[in-house]
Amino acid sequence: MLFEVWAPRAEERVTLLLEGSEREMARVADRAGWWRAEAGADEGARYGFALDGGPVRPDPRSRRQPDGPDGLSAVVLPDSYVWRHDWPGRTLRGAVLYELHIGTFTAEGTLDAAAAHLGDLAELGISHIELMPVCPFPGVHGWGYEGVSLWAVHEPYGGPEALRRFVDAAHGHGLGVVLDVVHNHLGPSGNHLPAFGPYFTDAHHTPWGAAVNLDAAGSDEVRAYLLGSALAWLREYRLDGLRLDAVHALVDTRALAFPEELSRAVDALSGELRRPLFLIAESDACDPRTVTPREAGGLGLHAQWNDDFHHALHTALTGESQGYYADFAEAPLAAVAKTVTRGFFHDGVPSGFRGRVHGRPVDVTTTPAHRFLGYAQTHDQIGNRALGDRLSGALAPGLLACAAVLVLTGPFTPMLFMGEEWGARTPWQFFTDHTDPELAAAVREGRRREFAAHGWDAADIPDPQDPATRLRSCLDRSERSREPHARLLAWHKELIALRRAHSDLADPDLASVRVAYDEDARWLALRRGDLRIAVNLGDEPASIRLGRGGRVLAAWDPVRPPGADGALRLGPRSCAVLTD
């Protein structure tokens, strides 16, 4: 078996430690900084590398870390898993995504335990599961965004074989799988990359410290490391796509931006594998070039999360105006109307939250709506709240139904956060399991200071290191059979089925969406082809002029079609979908 490592910071020698034996590695003549050795190794054999007689460190390209990020790596032989299901892939267009965190989707917090519920997700009608990060991180429980070992799977989740079993089972249910990957920072705890080479640069700084080296000396190999990791997830685990965390935080001054380079590589792999693959960006730049094809001068990513739609919808539902919601709070229904017809709210307009103009207009005549993901809740928008409270903790079921209808019949690719489909009452809080006591204390105190500055009592902020914080965040599936949860679950299934049955709801033409609203009466109506969607967020009945006649396809509360005057009379906190 061939062992290779890029270690330009080794001055004289690199030693392979394999199952207790040592073997000196040789420099690779035509690859600067690379070292190589051949040795026999069985599946699971433990190994690591020592530079210039220093401590043994895990392989930066390790496929498995049985003892966590600081332990030895383990050999994973290629083709060791026998796949049970052929999979042609599923495209992003027409998709309905479901964001899922393995550690809290079940109390067990493993991939195998999560796989036992894939039938429920298929019955719900979603097309793709979007897994939050699964790379190894210190401890057992965490969100996953402080991962290291970007080629491996967190061992407490079940390791690489469990991820293959999960993906295989999902494909057996007709579900695609998307993985959230983090390229903008690693660690900090358990991060051994700086010992090997210039993976980070002090030329740029990020909220997490030194930036990943995408443009300084040595960055060719760093980019190759990230590209190789991304392609390995898609090839070796048969994933359908990747969600790229915070691409706006990737500091890169090179002419070929890293996301563009990655999109080119993924498109090439898609052609090689003969199945669709896609990349979804998280970006707060409100720059349509993120999802503009490369040949048209864009980065060529296939979609992005649309936080502007979320913020507008959240403000309309809750009336909140703190932080970034302030930009949407003056006229939230107008903000919703703008996003569903023009993509971004911030399209070159002033942002009071930022203190400057923000964003760039979307060309709705050339940019299909499915390139934007629309959602009412995500892990970020719940977990980054002081108490991790969901919308269901504060809103009446009718308002949750209105949020669902705007997400699932709107123009964007819909995404749900796990448990949202039944209005789960369990919070989803920020939790960690740092093994470094100083880091654990810093995270705990930092979070308390952050929210104390916004008026919260520090004693009310959940301790991220307390195991009870993670346990509170685990879904309670017994809710599904109780009201109002059962009714909300049926409503989500009905709306997803409508989206599948009516092509107008999957029409990617943003320019064809028509919208009307009344800010004071708190109602909004969309026209999508032959379908009309009406929501009343107010506490009083609303009379909404939709045009005469038609047929009610779905309604949260019983409602008659518009009469001779063309007005739909919709009860408070209610919604309906009609066809002409």
Side-chain angles (χ1 to χ4, degrees):
M1 180 175 177
L2 184 63
F3 291 85
E4 293 184 307
V5 64
W6 182 59
R9 288 187 171 154
E11 296 181 358
E12 297 182 358
R13 62 192 177 101
V14 177
T15 306
L16 167 67
L17 284 296
L18 176 63
E19 291 288 281
S21 65
E22 297 186 6
R23 183 182 298 264
E24 294 302 313
M25 305 184 76
R27 293 182 187 271
V28 180
D30 58 347
R31 298 173 69 194
W34 281 87
W35 301 73
R36 175 183 295 166
E38 291 193 18
D42 295 326
E43 177 85 17
R46 306 295 180 89
Y47 73 99
F49 302 115
L51 281 60
D52 297 321
V56 181
R57 301 180 186 276
D59 181 359
R61 286 172 167 76
S62 169
R63 261 56 172 194
R64 187 180 173 206
Q65 290 296 120
D67 302 309
D70 292 315
L72 290 174
S73 301
V75 170
V76 176
L77 296 177
D79 303 321
S80 59
Y81 181 82
V82 179
W83 294 87
R84 296 180 298 126
H85 299 102
D86 290 330
W87 180 245
R90 290 190 75 163
T91 64
L92 187 60
R93 181 167 177 174
V96 177
L97 278 70
Y98 187 94
E99 191 185 20
L100 186 158
H101 177 259
I102 290 297
T104 50
F105 188 62
T106 65
E108 297 88 342
T110 66
L111 285 152
D112 287 336
H117 299 282
L118 289 172
D120 291 339
L121 300 183
E123 183 183 351
L124 175 62
I126 67 161
S127 63
H128 295 77
I129 298 159
E130 185 175 301
L131 291 177
M132 288 176 61
V134 299
C135 289
F137 53 87
V140 176
H141 300 297
W143 282 19
Y145 291 94
E146 294 181 335
V148 292
S149 300
L150 295 189
W151 302 55
V153 179
H154 192 48
E155 199 70 15
Y157 288 170
E161 286 294 288
L163 180 58
R164 289 187 173 91
R165 289 193 296 270
F166 180 91
V167 174
D168 203 4
H171 289 170
H173 284 283
L175 302 171
V177 182
V178 181
L179 178 64
D180 195 337
V181 296
V182 184
H183 293 153
N184 50 66
H185 73 287
L186 291 90
S189 182
N191 182 8
H192 295 270
L193 294 179
F196 289 90
Y199 283 88
F200 300 88
T201 174
D202 289 328
H204 313 296
H205 291 274
T206 74
W208 308 281
V212 174
N213 180 15
L214 297 176
D215 56 5
S219 60
D220 287 353
E221 288 290 356
V222 177
R223 292 163 78 105
Y225 173 78
L226 298 177
L227 288 167
S229 167
L231 298 181
W233 292 116
L234 297 168
R235 185 193 297 274
E236 297 176 16
Y237 293 91
R238 297 194 179 184
L239 294 172
D240 299 273
L242 301 174
R243 184 260 192 187
L244 309 177
D245 183 64
V247 297
H248 56 270
L250 295 172
V251 187
D252 182 5
T253 62
R254 290 170 62 154
L256 177 60
F258 175 74
E260 181 182 354
E261 186 176 5
L262 178 57
S263 76
R264 180 185 297 174
V266 168
D267 285 349
L269 181 62
S270 176
E272 176 189 334
L273 299 178
R274 297 184 179 181
R275 60 183 175 88
L277 301 172
F278 53 83
L279 298 170
I280 302 171
E282 180 199 20
S283 174
D284 75 351
C286 290
D287 187 348
R289 289 174 294 188
T290 302
V291 297
T292 298
R294 296 187 304 278
E295 57 270 21
L299 296 180
L301 303 182
H302 306 91
Q304 75 157 83
W305 282 23
N306 189 351
D307 272 354
D308 272 14
F309 171 74
H310 168 273
H311 297 346
L313 178 56
H314 183 94
T315 306
L317 291 166
T318 67
E320 292 182 12
S321 59
Q322 74 277 14
Y324 44 65
Y325 294 131
D327 285 350
F328 305 84
E330 183 177 348
L333 288 178
V336 172
K338 181 176 180 180
T339 59
V340 297
T341 54
R342 293 164 62 180
F344 294 140
F345 176 80
H346 290 109
D347 55 2
V349 300
S351 166
F353 171 69
R354 296 174 177 84
R356 59 172 174 80
V357 167
H358 186 64
R360 185 185 183 100
V362 174
D363 185 345
V364 298
T365 65
T366 60
T367 306
H370 74 263
R371 292 189 180 275
F372 301 100
L373 268 62
Y375 38 84
Q377 301 181 82
T378 70
H379 79 272
D380 267 332
Q381 304 302 337
I382 300 171
N384 285 325
R385 295 171 68 84
L387 303 180
D389 48 314
R390 297 169 178 261
L391 287 176
S392 52
L395 298 185
L399 289 179
L400 299 178
C402 290
V405 81
L406 288 173
V407 168
L408 292 169
T409 68
F412 306 127
T413 296
M415 184 177 73
L416 304 174
F417 181 68
M418 61 179 196
E420 180 181 350
E421 69 271 29
W422 72 78
R425 293 289 175 85
T426 49
W428 201 77
Q429 299 177 332
F430 180 69
F431 53 90
T432 57
D433 190 22
H434 293 303
T435 54
D436 179 341
E438 291 186 6
L439 180 58
V443 169
R444 178 188 298 116
E445 295 307 314
R447 191 160 177 88
R448 286 173 175 169
R449 283 196 305 271
E450 175 188 355
F451 287 105
H454 295 284
W456 289 88
D457 186 332
D460 293 335
I461 306 304
D463 179 359
Q465 288 285 119
D466 185 348
T469 304
R470 177 258 168 183
L471 286 173
R472 281 192 298 270
S473 302
C474 293
L475 290 176
D476 176 8
R477 285 188 172 74
S478 70
E479 291 179 329
R480 292 163 51 96
S481 60
R482 304 196 301 267
E483 295 298 348
H485 307 288
R487 184 182 177 195
L488 280 166
L489 179 58
W491 178 244
H492 280 79
K493 289 180 180 179
E494 184 176 9
L495 292 176
I496 294 174
L498 276 180
R499 191 174 185 89
R500 296 267 184 262
H502 294 270
S503 58
D504 284 339
L505 295 180
D507 184 356
D509 183 10
L510 270 174
S512 69
V513 178
R514 297 291 179 264
V515 61
Y517 62 91
D518 185 317
E519 202 76 62
D520 295 328
R522 289 180 47 75
W523 63 258
L524 180 143
L526 296 177
R527 174 173 280 278
R528 305 202 59 210
D530 291 336
L531 272 67
R532 295 167 287 173
I533 301 101
V535 299
N536 177 16
L537 306 181
D539 296 331
E540 301 295 333
S543 179
I544 306 172
R545 293 198 172 276
L546 297 180
R548 294 176 59 183
R551 179 167 56 94
V552 177
L553 296 176
W556 179 248
D557 293 314
V559 64
R560 293 181 177 276
D565 62 354
L568 176 73
R569 288 167 176 81
L570 199 57
R573 298 179 298 281
S574 192
C575 48
V577 182
L578 302 90
T579 186
D580 288 344

